[in-house]
Amino acid sequence: MRILTWNINGIRATKFPLKTVLDSLDADIICLQETKVTRDQLDEPTAIVEGYTSYYSFSKVRSGYSGVATYCRDTTTPIKAEEGLTGISTPDSVGAVGFYGNQADFSDEELHALDNEGRTVITQHKIRNCDGKEEILTIINVYCPRADPEKEDRQVFKLRFYHLLQTRAEAIVNSGSHVIVLGDVNTSHQPIDHCDPDNDQVSMLQ
């Protein structure tokens, strides 16, 4: 199974038909971040691509902002799929992945806020290990928030999103599934990975 992640910076800005773009990537599962499209802006050729199933999360706070999507080839169609980390977007859904962990550290208002920006799509797939035994693989496609050094509330928001992401990922692991967290995590591992490595404050936050 080949899995690819790409911050596409606007899915409507591609110069070629989306199927051409997806096929050229030669992957079974393609995880996109910063789709920058709302549900009402999503046209049929983008949502329904021959040979793939698509799963979207849209920003509910403003248009042309954030958003993630996962495209799976028909040969790797997930057994379950879910929008968001909290479970709020898919309450009591039969097809939801489930396993949310202990969210006691978060208020209801905070949980809604963390899932309102369209930053996560989770898909779950059946795979076979080297011995031919069937196992479960969960893919968490995320576009993590950017911390603005001039906005303390966004710095807190970013760290709370990370906390929620870790809580959910650990809960799914504990359920017996393999888990891959991928996407744009908006964090530099080393100063050399940052566009402005000499800015200590920015490097620390982003």
Side-chain angles (χ1 to χ4, degrees), residues 83-94:
E83 177 186 7
L85 291 170
T86 66
I88 292 172
S89 299
T90 50
D92 303 319
S93 173
V94 175

Side-chain angles (χ1 to χ4, degrees), residues 20 33 42 47 55 61 76 78 108 133 139 144 171 176 183 185:
T20 301
Q33 302 85 42
L42 186 65
Y55 305 86
V61 295
T76 53
D108 288 344
K133 181 182 177 182
I139 298 174
C144 295
V185 296

Side-chain angles (χ1 to χ4, degrees), residues 154-164:
R154 292 303 292 180
Q155 298 173 30
V156 173
F157 186 87
K158 176 176 183 172
L159 294 176
R160 295 297 282 168
F161 185 91
Y162 284 155
H163 184 190
L164 183 62

Side-chain angles (χ1 to χ4, degrees), residues 49-181:
V49 179
E50 182 183 356
Y52 300 85
T53 52
S54 65
Y55 305 86
Y56 271 79
S57 182
F58 307 96
S59 172
K60 300 176 181 66
V61 295
R62 71 181 199 239
S63 179
Y65 175 73
S66 190
V68 296
T70 299
Y71 283 81
C72 304
R73 285 191 184 271
D74 289 345
T75 52
T76 53
T77 298
I79 55 174
K80 293 182 179 180
E82 185 174 335
E83 177 186 7
L85 291 170
T86 66
I88 292 172
S89 299
T90 50
D92 303 319
S93 173
V94 175
V97 174
F99 305 106
Y100 301 98
N102 185 355
Q103 298 180 352
D105 288 345
F106 302 88
S107 67
D108 288 344
E109 181 181 0
E110 187 176 26
L111 289 172
H112 277 89
L114 289 167
D115 255 0
N116 269 352
E117 295 188 356
R119 294 187 177 275
T120 310
V121 164
I122 305 175
T123 56
Q124 199 165 70
H125 309 260
K126 288 184 178 180
I127 60 172
R128 292 195 180 277
N129 64 19
C130 297
D131 298 324
K133 181 182 177 182
E134 189 174 89
E135 297 183 344
I136 300 298
L137 169 65
T138 304
I139 298 174
I140 305 178
N141 175 14
V142 292
Y143 174 46
C144 295
R146 173 183 174 273
D148 187 335
E150 298 180 1
K151 296 180 180 178
E152 184 177 350
D153 61 325
R154 292 303 292 180
Q155 298 173 30
V156 173
F157 186 87
K158 176 176 183 172
L159 294 176
R160 295 297 282 168
F161 185 91
Y162 284 155
H163 184 190
L164 183 62
L165 174 60
Q166 181 174 354
T167 298
R168 184 70 191 275
E170 289 179 349
I172 298 173
V173 167
N174 291 336
S175 76
S177 173
H178 299 282
V179 173
I180 297 175
V181 178

